[in-house]
Amino acid sequence: MLKYILFDLDETLYPASSGLMPAIGERMRLYLEQRYHLDSERAHELQKRYWLQYGTTLRGLMLEHEIDPQDYLDYVHDVEVSQFLQPDERLREILANIPFEKVIMTNADAPHANRVLARLGIADQFTRIFDIVFMEFECKPARGAYERVLRALNVRGDECILIEDTARNLASARELGIQTILLLNGHHAFNQPSTWLPDPASHSHNTECPPDANVCIEKIYKVADAIQQLIPSKISP
Ligand SMILES: [Mg+2]
């Protein structure tokens, strides 16, 4: 029986076009430039390599440089969320009508998640936030990240649905029996986070639904319909 809906946070609960993640990506680059005395291009390369190799830039920094993760998290998330996001009453209503417990599972930290949820006006829709600190920095797409969340919720994978905008985070969830909904919100659905994007022309608009996704949607506003598709007999309209 379906018990929980696990929501990714960034660029899932608000559109990638908001510009928030590129602003955070800029902070990541600045962090690398300042701490390691790199020029902007080298910092960008390092950021990409870590993301590809380790799941997040932070994980790469921790494994290769033993940095203080909290120092990094505070630095990169030091952006004014309200400049990028607006309260989203429509999303709030949709979430409120989903008759399952909703939680956040994010590779960001809880203070950032709280700021985003508060700004969107949807904080009260989620009962828990599983952040990168909870995952002990073993972030998505690591299978261990999902195992940790399932353990904390005391459920099996097949009792959960995951909503994500990053396609590479789906496979390990599926291995654990979690059903997946992929938000195809534009340029980086498959491999590339928008935190890398200084050049809009380099965006490849990917609208194909990959095999690891049970359902794909183009707007978060379709999330309730997608959940319904996955459990057709469980919810009657
Ligand atoms: Mg995301």
Side-chain angles (χ1 to χ4, degrees), residues 112-131:
H112 169 74
N114 280 317
R115 287 191 292 272
V116 167
L117 296 174
R119 178 62 176 167
L120 293 170
I122 57 175
D124 61 342
Q125 297 301 313
F126 300 93
T127 51
R128 291 183 76 169
I129 294 174
F130 296 104
D131 73 343

Side-chain angles (χ1 to χ4, degrees), residues 84-95:
F84 301 94
L85 305 179
Q86 301 301 321
D88 192 341
E89 187 53 42
R90 182 178 171 195
L91 178 58
R92 189 192 153 73
E93 227 165 86
I94 290 166
L95 292 172

Side-chain angles (χ1 to χ4, degrees), residues 21-102:
M21 285 310 284
I24 291 170
E26 194 54 47
R27 299 283 302 165
M28 292 178 185
R29 261 194 302 286
L30 265 180
Y31 181 95
L32 295 172
E33 283 175 39
Q34 290 179 356
R35 295 291 196 282
Y36 302 103
H37 310 289
L38 302 174
D39 63 28
S40 171
E41 201 175 319
R42 294 276 306 281
H44 195 215
E45 283 308 309
L46 200 61
Q47 186 187 3
K48 267 195 199 181
R49 181 166 75 75
Y50 286 162
W51 190 84
L52 286 170
Q53 197 170 337
Y54 298 110
T56 56
T57 304
L58 172 58
R59 188 81 181 142
L61 284 168
M62 288 176 70
L63 292 172
E64 293 196 8
H65 298 280
E66 297 181 358
I67 64 151
D68 172 5
Q70 200 55 56
D71 172 59
Y72 170 89
L73 288 167
D74 292 344
Y75 186 96
V76 305
H77 291 121
D78 188 13
V79 293
E80 191 44 70
V81 164
S82 62
Q83 285 181 5
F84 301 94
L85 305 179
Q86 301 301 321
D88 192 341
E89 187 53 42
R90 182 178 171 195
L91 178 58
R92 189 192 153 73
E93 227 165 86
I94 290 166
L95 292 172
N97 284 315
I98 295 174
F100 299 99
E101 196 164 335
K102 296 169 284 285

Side-chain angles (χ1 to χ4, degrees), residues 8-14 21 106 140 163-166 169 185 188:
D8 172 50
L9 180 87
D10 288 303
E11 299 193 337
T12 290
L13 292 174
Y14 60 85
M21 285 310 284
T106 176
K140 293 180 285 185
I163 324 287
E164 255 293 341
D165 70 302
T166 301
N169 289 348
N185 69 5
H188 66 288

